[in-house]
């Protein structure tokens, strides 16, 4: 998974990576590694690389995890569903690969940046009960938003935002434009890959939203927003900066 590849490189393990998926594009050096498939993984190619460790994500690769283990491959699984889970996964991988100190240093840096977000939010302790109403859009046709209990929902919460769809039972519920208009989000978060701010502002229906009229639409790099990897703090910082105007390094 791209998020795992990012973790390995962040821990200084890039030279020991022998294979990645075709979706692993960060850091750029990862693109030069042998490819073992994309959505569908090539078991034979993995076996041919003779890995000492195969790191997989439980929720996304459950079927392949069982298949790889049945062939005797040394599979380690992680399952990050929150910012804290990402840091725990980095520590676990560090322990498994002899990079305990690198993992500890990386996580400590992530925690420092995360702690810097809240002091940077003016009067955050006073607005916790009335956070700005924000909606994250991850699909356009149909319109798909981020629900509660998801990785991106946790990012939004840590950035000081109230996820309008946070009470949804679905992880990624489908919205109609009418529902979106009725919810009246103060800010909208989306990605370049889904649609851009110009596209929204050019559609007269979207101009019924104050967030669109006031230019409060944040267009993010979809990989940074959606990948549960070491760049997750970048997402928190970008959203906090967009809402509160305080830039976090």
């Amino acid at each position: 998974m791209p998020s795992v590849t990012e973790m390995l490189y962040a821990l200084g393990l890039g030279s020991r990576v022998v294979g990645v998926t075709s979706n692993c594009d960060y850091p750029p050096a990862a693109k030069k590694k042998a490819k073992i498939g994309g959505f569908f993984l090539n078991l034979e190619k993995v076996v041919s690389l003779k890995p000492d460790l195969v790191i997989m994500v439980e929720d996304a690769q459950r079927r392949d995890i069982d298949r790889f283990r049945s062939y005797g491959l040394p599979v380690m699984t992680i399952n990050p569903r929150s910012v804290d889970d990402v840091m725990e996964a980095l520590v676990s991988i560090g322990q498994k690969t002899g990079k305990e100190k690198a993992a500890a240093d990386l996580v400590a840096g992530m925690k420092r940046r995360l702690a810097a977000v809240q002091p940077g939010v003016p009067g955050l302790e006073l607005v916790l009960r009335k956070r700005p109403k924000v909606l994250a859009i991850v699909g356009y046709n149909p319109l798909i938003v981020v629900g509660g209990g998801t990785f991106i929902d946790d990012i939004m919460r840590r950035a000081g935002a109230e996820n309008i769809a946070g009470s949804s039972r679905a992880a990624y519920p489908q919205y109609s434009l009418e529902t979106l208009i009725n919810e009246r989000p103060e800010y909208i978060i989306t990605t370049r890959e889904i649609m851009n701010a110009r596209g929204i502002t050019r559609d007269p229906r979207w101009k019924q939203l104050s967030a669109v009229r006031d230019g409060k639409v944040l267009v993010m790099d979809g990989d940074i927003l959606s990948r549960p990897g070491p760049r997750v703090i970048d997402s928190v910082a970008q959203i906090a900066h967009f809402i509160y105007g305080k830039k976090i390094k």
Side-chain angles (χ1 to χ4, degrees), residues 173-215:
Q174 181 175 330
Y175 266 32
S176 66
L177 185 57
E178 291 72 21
T179 300
L180 177 58
I181 292 171
N182 289 335
E183 292 286 2
R184 299 180 181 178
E186 297 172 66
Y187 297 86
I188 293 175
I189 299 169
T190 188
T191 67
R192 291 196 296 266
E193 295 80 2
I194 299 300
M195 57 183 171
N196 58 55
R198 286 186 181 179
I200 295 174
T201 54
R202 286 176 179 174
D203 187 329
R205 298 175 300 170
W206 286 83
K207 290 183 180 178
Q208 298 178 64
L209 293 165
S210 62
V212 174
R213 293 196 306 270
D214 298 340

Side-chain angles (χ1 to χ4, degrees), residues 9 38 40 79 94 105 149 154 183 188 191 220:
Y9 274 87
F40 297 101
N79 204 34
D105 291 345
D154 188 45
E183 292 286 2
I188 293 175
T191 67
M220 298 181 64

